[in-house]
Amino acid sequence: MNDWPRRIAIVGVGLLGASVAKSVRATIKDLHVTGVVRDPGKRESLLLNHVIDSGTDSIETASRDADVVVVATPVNHIADFSLRASAASPADCLITDVGSTKQGIVDAVAKDHDAIQKFVAAHPIAGSEKTGADYACADLFRGKMTVLTPHPQTSVEQLKRAERFWQLTGSRTVTMTPAEHDDHLAAVSHVPHLASSAVANLVAADSANLVGSGWLDITRVAAGDPGMWLAICQENRQAIRRQLAQLAGSIDDLQQMLKDSDDVGLLRWLQQAKSIRDQAR
Amino acid sequence: MNDWPRRIAIVGVGLLGASVAKSVRATIKDLHVTGVVRDPGKRESLLLNHVIDSGTDSIETASRDADVVVVATPVNHIADFSLRASAASPADCLITDVGSTKQGIVDAVAKDHDAIQKFVAAHPIAGSEKTGADYACADLFRGKMTVLTPHPQTSVEQLKRAERFWQLTGSRTVTMTPAEHDDHLAAVSHVPHLASSAVANLVAADSANLVGSGWLDITRVAAGDPGMWLAICQENRQAIRRQLAQLAGSIDDLQQMLKDSDDVGLLRWLQQAKSIRDQAR
């Protein structure tokens, strides 16, 4: 199985797409990577830096002889680009993605019977507030978790291929339903991101020099690309609203404990948060 | 002025107290540091590691010939310990602290006319979720801001001494009223900390392995000492409740924008947060 894949296509060569290329290339000798990149200058630079071996602006051209197509664009384009890759690619092609929301994408691709045979949705839980291929690296996924969210029609064989592919990047894989994924991600990523932005918005712009390392940690992700996060909010609106309601409830509880001078309750609440944080990693 | 201070006393030699000792010692030759430490074993270890030159469990003994007394205990003990240090120390002694709340401490010390002549409240905005002298370092305050919150009765001379002392640690100084400080800190530190804990509490303990670097950043401070944060909440209850109400309002706005699919508003809100974060440091 060391001869698979030979040719991969990356649609959208940003931080994640370029890191997939670099990490798989580190494992598979003679891998050919085609990048689908709209901007000719960017395409040229990716070729010069050996991130990709060939470049095109056509998804169809890139998919024609690909063993694997990785769609690494903003979430609002993933389903459409996956359908186009499916129509153009060989029958045994694996199509996968990196989107941080899954239900909408899987539902949209599943409307095409052929496409859902090829497509196994994936979300590598790795990244950075940085964007762009310049920050890509071969070990971005190392030791991280990639969540696979197969459709009921996905074959066991195709799921196994998706697991193998994502393990080639250095990540571990776990499988859950798209809905389970979206609820979990709303709780661990999307709503935390919104909370980070809300914390940043508490500060007047002119006192941003009077902040400590805690504030800088909490608000780091708020420097992320607003357009990308808007797209995530659009894609995962329902789960985000449910988790935001949880967060609002938690803040109400806090206000009540502060009002009542309920020190026992407040201490327990702080201890619970510490205990959860201490268990991570 | 390079011969001042010769002798300093640190009441409570944890992360901040030990870092004050180390940073001032790096600048002042032949500095004598006395540590007020209750636990004899800890005292012994601080002596062996040359963090302190002498140790005692008595604030009065340590203050008797001190040029500067730094009270670096949890906030709920600072006023009481500062009053005791004032009663025992020479007339020209500077008493200062590191507490992250100021109004309650300054008001309590100001009840003693002699003590408020000596005491200049300070808050070095530096720290870590780590606690204890083992993590102390001479450059913890380097380039950071120390907020001084003098009382109306503080003399210009004593304020200048406090500025000089805190600049010896490597920090810059800024002056504001205790109330301004507490409102600002509620916005940039206390409520962000509570938001960080609330974000941690969104996650079931058994899925804490399925989190990304963003979650780890946002929740880093939630691993801090719950007892210390309870004390901060008690000391700065009113300002924290005001800023928590702001945060709750921001989350309400978010919910409304998500419900209404108000993408323009949501994008503007995310962009504002990014712009504030990008201006910090």
Side-chain angles (χ1 to χ4, degrees):
Chain A
M1 264 314 163
N2 286 333
D3 57 346
W4 182 89
R6 309 295 304 181
R7 303 181 67 86
I8 70 176
I10 310 279
V11 183
V13 189
L15 174 73
L16 294 172
S19 294
V20 168
K22 288 184 174 189
S23 60
V24 177
R25 198 194 288 288
T27 316
I28 303 266
K29 275 180 209 157
D30 305 324
L31 183 77
H32 184 95
V33 179
T34 301
V36 180
V37 182
R38 213 163 13 182
D39 175 356
K42 220 170 129 186
R43 208 154 61 214
E44 198 56 39
S45 149
L46 289 164
L47 281 165
L48 279 171
N49 290 305
H50 306 292
V51 177
I52 59 176
D53 304 299
S54 61
T56 169
D57 61 356
S58 157
I59 294 175
E60 285 74 14
T61 303
S63 304
R64 198 166 298 142
D65 55 3
D67 297 321
V68 179
V69 179
V70 181
V71 183
T73 64
V75 288
N76 48 326
H77 295 298
I78 290 176
D80 180 40
F81 290 171
S82 297
L83 289 166
R84 286 172 55 189
S86 167
S89 61
D92 62 351
C93 185
L94 167 68
I95 299 170
T96 187
D97 75 320
V98 303
S100 62
T101 64
K102 298 274 68 109
Q103 184 78 69
I105 292 168
V106 172
D107 286 352
V109 176
K111 287 181 183 152
D112 180 323
H113 177 265
D114 292 336
I116 201 64
Q117 305 301 321
K118 294 181 179 175
F119 182 72
V120 180
H123 176 203
I125 302 186
S128 164
E129 76 284 4
K130 304 284 172 47
T131 55
D134 290 347
Y135 295 102
C137 63
D139 57 2
L140 186 69
F141 307 109
R142 185 153 310 282
K144 305 292 169 57
M145 205 60 98
T146 296
V147 181
L148 301 176
T149 63
H151 186 266
Q153 288 174 38
T154 306
S155 69
V156 171
E157 183 192 8
Q158 193 72 341
L159 177 59
K160 283 209 175 304
R161 280 173 134 176
E163 287 173 347
R164 199 159 61 235
F165 178 74
W166 281 103
Q167 287 162 10
L168 287 174
T169 68
S171 78
R172 293 173 293 159
T173 57
V174 62
T175 298
M176 54 180 83
T177 68
E180 284 167 348
H181 169 277
D182 286 2
D183 271 330
H184 177 71
L185 262 285
V188 302
S189 173
H190 309 159
V191 167
H193 185 97
L194 294 171
S196 170
S197 297
V199 165
N201 277 334
L202 283 178
V203 177
D206 63 353
S207 48
N209 67 328
L210 263 177
V211 296
S213 59
W215 190 91
L216 290 170
D217 279 344
I218 294 167
T219 60
R220 183 158 297 124
V221 299
D225 176 15
M228 188 186 92
W229 283 94
L230 176 63
I232 288 172
C233 288
Q234 290 166 331
E235 283 285 322
N236 203 23
R237 195 181 301 274
Q238 297 315 322
I240 289 174
R241 286 180 62 191
R242 282 194 295 275
Q243 293 296 330
L244 264 183
Q246 290 283 332
L247 183 67
S250 194
I251 288 171
D252 278 352
D253 292 346
L254 257 178
Q255 284 282 41
Q256 197 62 45
M257 290 188 285
L258 284 165
K259 192 175 167 202
D260 299 345
S261 298
D262 177 6
D263 295 342
V264 175
L266 187 48
L267 184 64
R268 200 184 305 125
W269 188 87
L270 290 164
Q271 282 168 336
Q272 184 192 324
K274 175 175 169 57
S275 146
I276 291 168
R277 181 56 175 82
D278 286 344
Q279 283 169 58
R281 296 296 149 92
Chain B
M1 264 313 164
N2 287 333
D3 57 347
W4 182 90
R6 310 294 305 180
R7 303 181 67 85
I8 71 176
I10 310 279
V11 182
V13 188
L15 174 73
L16 293 173
S19 293
V20 169
K22 289 185 173 189
S23 60
V24 177
R25 198 194 288 287
T27 316
I28 303 265
K29 275 179 206 158
D30 305 325
L31 183 76
H32 184 95
V33 180
T34 302
V36 180
V37 182
R38 212 162 15 180
D39 175 355
K42 220 171 128 185
R43 208 153 63 213
E44 197 56 38
S45 150
L46 289 165
L47 281 165
L48 278 171
N49 290 305
H50 306 292
V51 177
I52 58 177
D53 304 298
S54 60
T56 168
D57 61 357
S58 158
I59 293 174
E60 285 73 14
T61 303
S63 304
R64 198 166 297 143
D65 56 2
D67 297 320
V68 179
V69 179
V70 182
V71 182
T73 64
V75 288
N76 48 325
H77 295 298
I78 290 176
D80 180 40
F81 290 171
S82 296
L83 289 166
R84 285 172 55 188
S86 167
S89 60
D92 62 352
C93 185
L94 167 68
I95 299 170
T96 187
D97 74 319
V98 304
S100 61
T101 65
K102 298 272 70 107
Q103 183 78 69
I105 291 169
V106 172
D107 286 351
V109 176
K111 287 182 183 152
D112 180 323
H113 177 265
D114 291 336
I116 201 63
Q117 306 299 323
K118 294 181 179 176
F119 182 72
V120 181
H123 177 204
I125 302 186
S128 163
E129 76 286 3
K130 305 284 174 45
T131 55
D134 290 348
Y135 295 101
C137 62
D139 57 4
L140 187 69
F141 307 110
R142 184 152 312 280
K144 304 292 168 58
M145 205 60 97
T146 296
V147 180
L148 302 177
T149 63
H151 187 266
Q153 289 174 36
T154 306
S155 70
V156 171
E157 183 192 9
Q158 194 70 343
L159 176 59
K160 282 210 175 304
R161 280 174 135 177
E163 286 172 348
R164 199 159 62 234
F165 179 75
W166 281 103
Q167 286 162 9
L168 288 174
T169 67
S171 78
R172 293 172 292 158
T173 56
V174 62
T175 298
M176 54 180 85
T177 68
E180 284 168 347
H181 169 276
D182 286 2
D183 271 330
H184 176 72
L185 262 284
V188 302
S189 173
H190 309 159
V191 167
H193 185 98
L194 294 171
S196 170
S197 297
V199 164
N201 277 333
L202 283 178
V203 177
D206 63 353
S207 48
N209 67 329
L210 262 176
V211 296
S213 59
W215 190 89
L216 290 170
D217 279 344
I218 294 167
T219 60
R220 183 157 298 123
V221 300
D225 176 14
M228 188 185 93
W229 283 94
L230 176 62
I232 288 172
C233 287
Q234 291 166 331
E235 284 285 322
N236 203 23
R237 195 182 302 273
Q238 297 316 323
I240 289 174
R241 285 179 62 190
R242 282 193 294 275
Q243 294 295 330
L244 264 184
Q246 290 283 331
L247 183 68
S250 194
I251 289 171
D252 277 354
D253 292 347
L254 258 178
Q255 284 283 40
Q256 197 62 45
M257 290 187 285
L258 284 165
K259 193 175 166 200
D260 300 344
S261 298
D262 176 7
D263 294 342
V264 175
L266 186 49
L267 185 63
R268 199 185 304 127
W269 187 88
L270 290 164
Q271 282 168 336
Q272 184 192 324
K274 175 176 170 56
S275 146
I276 291 168
R277 180 56 174 82
D278 286 344
Q279 282 168 58
R281 296 297 149 92

